[in-house]
Amino acid sequence: MRSGEELDGFEGEASSTSMISGASSPYQPTTEPVSQRRGLAGLRCDPDYLRGAFGCLKVAQVILALIAFICIETIMECSPCEGLYFFEFVSCSAFVVTGVLLILFSLNLHMRIPQINWNLTDLVNTGLSTFFFFIASIVLAALNHKAGAEIAAVIFGFLATAVYAVNTFLAVQKWRVSIHQQSANDYIRARTESRDVDGRPEIQRLDT
């Protein structure tokens, strides 16, 4: 039989061997945090955006464009129909595009696609919607047959034009601010890099 000292030495050797094998094992448990999954499960509505100026304007644009589209769809007869078709296309397009942007901004989905300049995207959308809603409303007002649905569509078309115009003005201001901030950040970064080079003479000697 083995003595107590031999057994203690054997147990210590076995424990050290198991520690070494456990450290080298690729299946040992890790304490690193699991990365957050990117999916629809983590989506949350941003109430601050919806309560802000851009959120309220986006909601109003979607509602007005939808009402204008519904009004124009209730018209059964038209002659000529070009103005009605053009207004129908503009109101439907504005409703769909603005609705998609509202969902992206309110759920912060645009933050997951930083490659797109969303300030410029919103500016282009609101600018084009303002222009085409204004033209479509004028054409429909000039060619309408004094029907109630046509008059309602014209009224909501001009209301949508006004809301889109306000959003365009605010989007231009926001885009200018972002451009100035980007320029300031680039200037600060360039100054910091130049100071680092001036403080390291070995880099200057290599350049020369």
Side-chain angles (χ1 to χ4, degrees):
M1 295 180 65
R2 295 183 180 179
S3 62
E5 294 181 355
E6 291 179 352
L7 291 175
D8 294 340
F10 178 77
E11 291 177 357
E13 183 179 356
S15 62
S16 62
T17 304
S18 62
M19 290 176 63
I20 294 174
S21 62
S24 60
S25 175
Y27 301 104
Q28 64 184 28
T30 178
T31 57
E32 295 180 358
V34 180
S35 59
Q36 185 178 3
R37 296 180 180 178
R38 291 187 176 182
L40 298 179
L43 295 181
R44 291 183 179 179
C45 183
D46 187 3
D48 293 334
Y49 174 79
L50 295 177
R51 287 194 296 262
F54 286 99
C56 294
L57 287 172
K58 282 286 182 293
V59 172
Q61 291 162 11
V62 171
I63 294 175
L64 291 174
L66 178 60
I67 295 176
F69 178 73
I70 293 174
C71 291
I72 208 69
E73 283 296 309
T74 58
I75 300 175
M76 297 290 101
E77 297 179 0
C78 61
S79 179
C81 297
E82 289 77 9
L84 186 145
Y85 293 154
F86 180 60
F87 189 92
E88 179 183 12
F89 171 77
V90 171
S91 58
C92 181
S93 300
F95 168 73
V96 173
V97 176
T98 307
V100 171
L101 289 177
L102 176 61
I103 294 174
L104 290 175
F105 292 151
S106 60
L107 296 178
N108 288 326
L109 290 174
H110 66 290
M111 301 297 293
R112 302 187 180 184
I113 314 176
Q115 297 82 3
I116 299 178
N117 189 338
W118 292 104
N119 292 331
L120 183 59
T121 301
D122 186 35
L123 174 60
V124 171
N125 172 64
T126 54
L128 292 177
S129 299
T130 302
F131 175 76
F132 284 111
F133 245 127
F134 181 69
I135 298 299
S137 299
I138 290 179
V139 172
L140 185 62
L143 300 179
N144 74 82
H145 302 85
K146 308 301 181 182
E150 289 179 327
I151 296 175
V154 170
I155 293 175
F156 283 106
F158 280 118
L159 289 176
T161 301
V163 175
Y164 274 108
V166 174
N167 198 161
T168 302
F169 174 78
L170 295 179
V172 169
Q173 300 298 322
K174 186 176 181 180
W175 178 68
R176 288 180 178 178
V177 170
S178 64
I179 292 296
H180 291 319
Q181 289 179 349
Q182 183 66 30
S183 301
N185 293 335
D186 293 340
Y187 175 76
I188 293 173
R189 189 181 301 109
R191 289 293 302 272
T192 303
E193 292 176 354
S194 64
R195 289 176 181 175
D196 292 340
V197 173
D198 294 339
R200 300 176 64 183
E202 64 274 9
I203 298 180
Q204 297 178 1
R205 288 196 299 268
L206 290 175
D207 293 338
T208 58

